[in-house]
Amino acid sequence: MLSVTKRSSWTDTLLSIFLFVLIIILYQYFAHQRHLLNPHDKLVPTFAQMLDAFTRSTFEPDRNGVYRLLDDTLASGQRVLISMVFVFGGVLMGAYMGLFPVMDKLFYKFFLFFDKIPALAILPILFIFFGLGEVSKVALIVIGVVPTIILDTYLRAKAFPQEQVIKAITMSASKSQIIFKIILPKIFPMALDSIRLNFKAIVLFLISGEALAATAGLGYRIFVVRRYMAMDIIISYVIWIGLLSYLIDAGICLWIKKQYRWYNK
Amino acid sequence: MTGKYILEVEGASQQYFDQSEKSFQVLNNINLQIREGEFVTIVGPTGCGKSTLLRMILGSERPSAGNVLMDQKPILKPDRNRGVVFQKYSLFDNLTVRQNVRIGLELENFSIFGNLLNTVFPGWKYEEYSTLVDEYLERVGLLQHGDKYPYQLSGGMRQRVAIAQAMIMKPKVLLMDEPFGALDAGTKDQMHAFMLEQWQQTGQTILFVTHDLEEAVYLGTRVIVLSQYYQGANGAKIVKDFNTPWPHPRDQSVKEEELFQDMIKTIRNQGLNSNYLLNQEEFDLSHADAIQLAS
Amino acid sequence: MNNFKRISQFFILLLLTGFIAACSSPSGQESNASSSTSGKSKKFKVAWSIYSGWQPWDYANQSKILEKWAKKYGIEIELIKMDYIPSVEAYVAGQVDACVMTNMEALDMPAASGVTSTALILGDYSNGNDALLTRDNLQVKDLVGKEVNLVELSVSHYILSRALEKNGLKESDVTIVNTSDSDIAPAFISNNSQKAVITWNPLIMEIKKQPDVKQVFASSSIPGEIMDLMIVKTNVLKDNPELGNALTGAWYEVMAIMKKEDKATEEALAIMAESAGCSLQEYKDQLKTTAMFYSPKSALNYTTSKAVIQSMDYVRKFCFSHGLLGENATSFDQIGIQYPNGEIQGDKNNIQLYFDSSFMEKAANAQL
Ligand SMILES: Nc1ncnc2c1ncn2[C@@H]1O[C@H](COP(=O)(O)OP(=O)(O)OP(=O)(O)O)[C@@H](O)[C@H]1O
Ligand SMILES: [Mg+2]
């Protein structure tokens, strides 16, 4: 039935947005029905309500005079940025472990074990050790994601062609040059890729941490407004988080494609 | 002769383990002395251990028995003195052709300060390398391809980059493992000329593994045949070791000479013929430096 | 192009099917959530969560007292245990017909979402079950510029607001750190840098065991403002007064057992303590800070008093000023609350919360 004739591009676009549109229409219809039964319904807000909630949190200061969405995004963004320092530290750690047998023996089993620990389950311990401030939230992200990044980089460093390392040594490369000039430049886009794929986990840990104790943040807001069932705010925040994550993902992809043309070839 | 040996292999053997953890001997009691400036070509049946021998001299692998020396000192690790061109995986595929050729110079003259400066002003320090890099690219015929990545090159082009990459460092000893295996005849001739010219200019010592007998006889001042087929075989031994008589620079025309053709035939019919070797009591090691062990 | 047409036709068909499904589901859900008819008797779902003043519901269920009363009025009642906030959410979503909650959540969750609700039974008020605890001998006045850990927009937040108000301070004088109730106690206990916390029992008892922690304000300082209610959907109660009768009857039978102070009382309290996950002694201690209305008479008297109206006024103003009546709410009068004497607080045309004393009255007059 399906022929392989080339369709015009607008029909392709139409098809690719079809499911989105379908879901939006169905949702809007469902919300509308609920609002007919109960005009004050908060659980299934219509898109107009969500848009309104989004505009309010974005462009109007709230009771305390803060622009919520900006405030929350900055607070969460800062946490993610700080944990990124550790994530890149993890990349370095993985490379070192892959190259130096001593580091390998010392750390591999340790991180392998740590990677298996469900970070969320030890959250109370984190709060006891690091308090309720920023440290514990960053620590949660770090403990949740960094071991995975370390192990990933480690395996890639291990799989690095030995011939190239030897070749570098015959050209008078020192150990640190092998890491920084030979191995890291080559595995870096792979590390970026795995950071990109782990971003969902980063967001998950961020939100969980913020749910437990915070004064601002995207996750914080979602959990606070749940107290008065402001689903319009929650959904608009969820869409915002999704959009940001998508943009970051696409940004990293684009960066890899532009900056590392040889990668994946 | 009292000349200085740059490389010495003393009774070196190598054992490996197969899947069932049983050990098997690859090289058996290899003895070899090489003088500075020699161009040694090594041939032998596939799987006889040519690459293994090369790796032992490189230092990336230690013999299970015996010693390998360079300038009378044992070789323990690969170092700056011995460059290498592998059969494959020689190039850094995250670097362009030009960067691949330049990387050795960068590594050798590395300074954190220079590296920083280069990050801020790209090409500031690398400028001073560029004439040299271009010269080598020109020689291997890849000047126009300098900004391509290895994945954009053919197998032969990649191998030529690898040669330029190793040669630009002018190591005292250059180890090459079937570098021209993937080249067409025309390019091969060009590369031969380039190799010989380079060798004569630098006075390097070259060890060159190949399957092409014509190439082996044409390039080498000395040809070594390695084989694992002989009476009571247990790992490969040197079964032939001889001089080629033509002085360098050699002309392509020597390939037409009868002696040249005979040499190739002899290698094929004796060195590479297991039936012949199995019936042989002694090996034909006519080279002056060859070590003839009492059998 | 022809193929594409066929595909689009298929998708349009899919769309239509989806629409039909969407049309039928909300109305269908509405009817079967409120009361499903199984055989002859109607079945109702009631949600409860762990709290000293609500444990009697679990006992009523376990001791079959609830079943007995439901049978008497020819209905079935299913009691479902949930976490507190999810239980209220389930109530608002229409998954259950009735749910226990405080007057504050009754106002800012169902009433503010247009789920018209009736307070059927006023069981108790918090008389110290919610408290502000501090380290280093800090008084409320000393909290200026300090962090306070609490569950934001909960009763704890209300307690903070009232405590500050009574000491001439504003909320902006302190930093509120929203802290999950699941971790608030261990986190506070183990971090000496945390100076002030507001939470509820049994966590308060736990935190107070620390030598350097003091209680500086509690719900007992504002008695009666936080009431614990059994909330039923107004339309369900109107259509099915049997549900109100059965719940009220069962509740006061249990209350009578709790009041007797004999062996039966001990047994009942032991069951309640067990399902609360604490020891009998701990549960008894919690009851000391819970002002239970054991007799229907006392509950009736309190419900019909001015005190309730005054309390609700504080609570609705707090809710409004914290956006709990909806971010778009323009006034605390937006939602109407009707009291047993017919008095209406707020918008007459938008009454969403009723305090109904008629069932407690029936119990007081032994008419159930
Ligand atoms: N690391 C290793 N472990 C186990 N066996 C090995 C290892 N490296 C090489 N071998 C085995 O040693 C033998 C010699 O290998 P080598 O690569 O030196 O042969 P070669 O002469 O270079 O062959 P070719 O001409 O095909 O390149 C082969 O049988 C090979 O399977
Ligand atoms: Mg080989």
Side-chain angles (χ1 to χ4, degrees):
Chain A
M1 245 208 30
L2 285 169
S3 59
V4 274
T5 52
K6 216 173 170 194
R7 270 192 230 105
S8 59
S9 65
W10 69 268
T11 53
D12 279 353
T13 321
L14 211 68
L15 264 183
S16 59
I17 61 169
F18 179 80
L19 282 179
F20 288 100
V21 175
L22 180 74
I23 283 180
I24 288 171
I25 292 175
L26 281 180
Y27 177 88
Q28 180 66 15
Y29 184 79
F30 186 66
H32 185 69
Q33 288 295 307
R34 275 189 76 102
H35 279 258
L36 287 183
L37 290 170
N38 172 9
H40 299 286
D41 183 64
K42 280 179 159 183
L43 283 181
V44 188
T46 60
F47 279 99
Q49 285 174 310
M50 282 186 237
L51 197 66
D52 180 50
F54 187 78
T55 338
R56 248 184 298 118
S57 23
T58 314
F59 303 113
E60 290 166 26
D62 72 356
R63 273 160 237 275
N64 304 320
V66 298
Y67 291 87
R68 268 187 194 172
L69 190 80
L70 183 71
D71 215 46
D72 291 335
T73 310
L74 288 180
S76 294
Q78 192 186 352
R79 286 165 196 147
V80 171
L81 269 181
I82 295 173
S83 26
M84 277 302 156
V85 174
F86 292 91
V87 167
F88 284 108
V91 171
L92 206 60
M93 183 77 191
Y96 270 96
M97 278 166 58
L99 194 68
F100 297 109
V102 181
M103 302 272 283
D104 185 348
K105 294 222 171 62
L106 186 61
F107 289 112
Y108 177 64
K109 291 267 162 56
F110 179 73
F111 283 124
L112 198 64
F113 175 73
F114 239 79
D115 190 46
K116 302 292 170 282
I117 291 180
L120 285 177
I122 56 163
L123 235 179
I125 304 176
L126 286 187
F127 275 94
I128 287 167
F129 273 111
F130 300 114
L132 292 170
E134 294 300 299
V135 183
S136 55
K137 286 184 267 297
V138 172
L140 176 65
I141 302 178
V142 169
I143 291 176
V145 181
V146 170
T148 318
I149 300 287
I150 290 179
L151 291 180
D152 192 75
T153 326
Y154 164 81
L155 289 178
R156 294 185 190 283
K158 276 250 141 174
F160 197 89
Q162 206 52 35
E163 285 90 342
Q164 297 190 2
V165 176
I166 291 170
K167 179 106 195 187
I169 296 174
T170 65
M171 298 191 295
S172 78
S174 65
K175 289 265 180 193
S176 65
Q177 279 181 318
I178 289 171
I179 296 233
F180 285 98
K181 272 197 90 97
I182 306 294
I183 294 186
L184 272 184
K186 187 164 164 188
I187 60 178
F188 198 69
M190 302 179 193
L192 280 181
D193 241 356
S194 78
I195 290 172
R196 183 175 73 83
L197 295 174
N198 276 299
F199 201 75
K200 193 172 168 177
I202 293 179
V203 172
L204 189 74
F205 288 118
L206 170 77
I207 290 179
S208 314
E210 288 178 344
L212 282 171
T215 54
L218 296 168
Y220 158 84
R221 190 68 59 195
I222 288 178
F223 281 88
V224 165
V225 302
R226 190 176 163 194
R227 271 273 160 179
Y228 57 102
M229 318 195 71
M231 284 307 289
D232 50 352
I233 299 180
I234 294 181
I235 297 179
S236 66
Y237 263 64
V238 167
I239 294 176
W240 174 242
I241 292 173
L243 194 72
L244 282 181
S245 306
Y246 179 80
L247 286 179
I248 288 170
D249 192 80
I252 297 179
C253 272
L254 199 72
W255 172 261
I256 290 176
K257 215 170 156 183
K258 267 198 65 147
Q259 208 64 23
Y260 306 99
R261 272 194 294 139
W262 49 271
Y263 180 55
N264 272 341
K265 290 283 167 46
Chain B
M1 269 201 165
T2 49
K4 168 168 143 221
Y5 293 120
I6 184 164
L7 288 172
E8 288 158 282
V9 180
E10 302 176 345
S13 304
Q14 186 62 300
Q15 280 184 346
Y16 285 130
F17 294 89
D18 60 14
Q19 290 96 319
S20 48
E21 296 296 311
K22 266 203 296 199
S23 77
F24 65 99
Q25 186 106 352
V26 176
L27 293 176
N28 180 10
N29 197 9
I30 302 282
N31 288 284
L32 185 60
Q33 292 170 327
I34 294 168
R35 282 172 201 277
E36 187 155 8
E38 276 191 283
F39 196 136
V40 183
T41 54
I42 303 169
V43 295
T46 180
C48 70
K50 303 182 291 295
S51 299
T52 306
L53 178 62
L54 223 56
R55 281 199 299 272
M56 280 175 9
I57 295 170
L58 178 61
S60 65
E61 206 169 277
R62 303 263 194 90
S64 51
N67 291 309
V68 185
L69 310 172
M70 177 165 179
D71 293 328
Q72 283 79 51
K73 284 191 273 310
I75 293 173
L76 303 173
K77 280 181 177 141
D79 61 47
R80 174 69 182 83
N81 293 321
R82 294 176 305 283
V84 65
V85 177
F86 288 111
Q87 262 171 297
K88 46 187 175 178
Y89 304 120
S90 263
L91 296 184
F92 303 107
D93 30 40
N94 53 323
L95 301 179
T96 61
V97 168
R98 180 168 279 111
Q99 289 167 337
N100 258 297
V101 175
R102 190 175 60 201
I103 181 94
L105 302 174
E106 286 175 35
L107 289 171
E108 190 162 52
N109 303 310
F110 178 81
S111 78
I112 292 176
F113 178 68
N115 215 38
L116 266 177
L117 267 180
N118 257 308
T119 326
V120 186
F121 310 105
W124 169 76
K125 179 152 194 222
Y126 301 153
E127 274 303 302
E128 64 190 61
Y129 303 143
S130 71
T131 359
L132 190 60
V133 170
D134 281 357
E135 186 192 318
Y136 273 83
L137 282 177
E138 172 106 64
R139 283 189 176 187
V140 292
L142 290 171
L143 195 51
Q144 309 92 296
H145 302 284
D147 294 323
K148 286 189 177 163
Y149 283 96
Y151 76 89
Q152 293 165 311
L153 302 179
S154 73
M157 288 157 103
R158 260 179 247 176
Q159 225 37 21
R160 282 187 274 160
V161 181
I163 289 166
Q165 187 185 46
M167 286 231 176
I168 202 168
M169 298 304 291
K170 303 197 173 75
K172 278 167 112 176
V173 175
L174 186 58
L175 307 170
M176 307 181 87
D177 198 344
E178 299 180 42
F180 304 145
L183 300 193
D184 65 277
T187 321
K188 225 179 205 178
D189 286 346
Q190 262 174 305
M191 293 311 297
H192 288 165
F194 167 63
M195 284 291 305
L196 290 174
E197 183 191 341
Q198 185 71 25
W199 168 65
Q200 283 187 299
Q201 266 180 23
T202 58
Q204 275 169 320
T205 311
I206 297 182
L207 265 74
F208 188 106
V209 171
T210 177
H211 277 283
D212 180 342
L213 299 183
E214 188 188 89
E215 181 175 73
V217 177
Y218 177 66
L219 289 180
T221 55
R222 177 176 178 186
V223 178
I224 287 175
V225 183
L226 214 57
S227 179
Q228 69 270 53
Y229 306 110
Y230 53 86
Q231 274 182 23
N234 179 24
K237 276 182 189 278
I238 297 174
V239 295
K240 273 191 185 300
D241 184 349
F242 57 91
N243 270 322
T244 54
W246 304 276
H248 284 279
R250 285 177 189 170
D251 191 77
Q252 288 277 351
S253 60
V254 299
K255 293 182 187 174
E256 312 300 327
E257 286 180 26
E258 206 167 318
L259 181 57
F260 190 93
Q261 297 294 337
D262 280 350
M263 248 177 201
I264 290 176
K265 258 184 225 143
T266 318
I267 296 171
R268 183 170 295 125
N269 295 337
Q270 299 182 0
L272 301 181
N273 182 330
S274 47
N275 283 334
Y276 173 85
L277 282 175
L278 286 171
N279 293 319
Q280 224 46 25
E281 292 295 326
E282 276 188 355
F283 303 136
D284 162 30
L285 307 178
S286 63
H287 194 278
D289 292 331
I291 296 170
Q292 188 84 54
L293 294 170
S295 50
Chain C
M1 234 39 228
N2 208 7
N3 279 325
F4 184 66
K5 240 184 209 164
R6 235 178 272 166
I7 294 168
S8 4
Q9 274 169 2
F10 169 74
F11 277 125
I12 287 165
L13 203 76
L14 204 79
L15 208 86
L16 283 175
T17 325
F19 259 107
I20 293 161
C23 290
S24 51
S25 74
S27 43
Q29 188 191 8
E30 201 61 32
S31 64
N32 77 41
S34 50
S35 54
S36 62
T37 333
S38 71
K40 283 165 276 164
S41 54
K42 276 185 173 174
K43 192 173 175 182
F44 299 92
K45 289 179 182 164
V46 179
W48 75 285
S49 45
I50 292 178
Y51 171 66
S52 56
W54 292 326
Q55 293 310 108
W57 284 113
D58 188 47
Y59 174 71
N61 193 35
Q62 289 195 36
S63 63
K64 306 257 190 260
I65 291 175
L66 187 61
E67 194 183 317
K68 187 184 82 187
W69 282 87
K71 262 209 187 102
K72 178 173 176 185
Y73 288 100
I75 56 171
E76 271 180 58
I77 296 174
E78 187 191 348
L79 201 69
I80 304 164
K81 179 180 161 183
M82 295 179 81
D83 281 341
Y84 181 53
I85 288 299
S87 74
V88 184
E89 283 171 348
Y91 171 77
V92 175
Q95 307 295 320
V96 296
D97 305 291
C99 180
V100 291
M101 63 189 86
T102 74
N103 53 332
M104 183 167 145
E105 271 83 27
L107 179 66
D108 70 38
M109 296 180 80
S113 318
V115 176
T116 314
S117 298
T118 300
L120 177 75
I121 300 168
L122 198 163
D124 70 278
Y125 62 77
S126 169
N127 196 25
N129 270 340
D130 300 271
L132 165 58
L133 308 174
T134 61
R135 281 201 166 92
D136 301 349
N137 273 324
L138 292 182
Q139 294 302 308
V140 177
K141 284 189 288 291
D142 306 325
L143 292 181
V144 178
K146 297 247 160 33
E147 285 188 348
V148 183
N149 291 104
L150 51 81
V151 177
E152 230 176 303
L153 305 182
S154 70
V155 167
S156 304
H157 196 164
Y158 177 77
I159 297 280
L160 173 72
S161 164
R162 297 284 286 133
L164 293 172
E165 209 176 344
K166 292 208 164 201
N167 284 273
L169 298 176
K170 298 185 305 295
E171 237 178 70
S172 52
D173 292 333
V174 301
T175 306
I176 296 172
V177 180
N178 181 48
T179 311
S180 155
D181 51 342
S182 54
D183 287 292
I184 198 164
F188 183 80
I189 289 171
S190 56
N191 287 296
N192 283 327
S193 57
Q194 243 72 44
K195 295 302 179 203
V197 65
I198 304 182
T199 184
W200 51 79
N201 256 330
L203 302 177
I204 291 183
M205 283 173 29
E206 202 58 42
I207 299 175
K208 270 197 197 160
K209 285 179 190 161
Q210 298 299 110
D212 59 332
V213 172
K214 273 199 171 156
Q215 176 170 322
V216 294
F217 192 87
S219 50
S220 49
S221 323
I222 47 166
E225 288 184 24
I226 300 303
M227 297 168 265
D228 300 307
L229 313 166
M230 168 55 81
I231 296 285
V232 189
K233 282 193 169 179
T234 303
N235 59 344
V236 174
L237 188 62
K238 208 161 118 200
D239 297 342
N240 309 280
E242 323 72 87
L243 175 62
N245 290 335
L247 286 172
T248 315
W251 177 257
Y252 287 108
E253 184 174 336
V254 175
M255 288 298 113
I257 295 173
M258 285 175 79
K259 200 169 57 177
K260 270 193 300 190
E261 295 188 4
D262 61 4
K263 223 180 117 218
T265 309
E266 287 291 301
E267 277 169 20
L269 292 184
I271 289 175
M272 293 180 204
E274 195 191 332
S275 85
C278 58
S279 71
L280 179 60
Q281 191 50 49
E282 282 170 334
Y283 184 59
K284 281 180 174 169
D285 288 343
Q286 288 171 33
L287 280 179
K288 282 183 196 149
T289 49
T290 313
M292 297 293 299
F293 293 107
Y294 288 112
S295 72
K297 189 108 191 72
S298 58
L300 176 67
N301 284 343
Y302 191 78
T303 311
T304 51
S305 72
K306 286 274 174 222
V308 173
I309 305 178
Q310 178 58 53
S311 298
M312 284 312 291
D313 196 41
Y314 284 132
V315 170
R316 69 186 185 132
K317 281 175 181 158
F318 171 84
C319 288
F320 170 70
S321 68
H322 290 79
L324 297 176
L325 301 182
E327 308 247 310
N328 289 323
T330 48
S331 147
F332 49 76
D333 274 332
Q334 186 144 322
I335 291 169
I337 308 171
Q338 185 169 344
Y339 296 95
N341 62 1
E343 191 178 330
I344 294 165
Q345 205 173 32
D347 189 351
K348 286 180 189 48
N349 300 315
N350 184 28
I351 299 177
Q352 297 292 357
L353 185 58
Y354 293 88
F355 278 85
D356 185 347
S357 63
S358 64
F359 290 88
M360 290 180 272
E361 197 171 344
K362 276 193 249 178
N365 300 336
Q367 288 165 341
L368 288 175

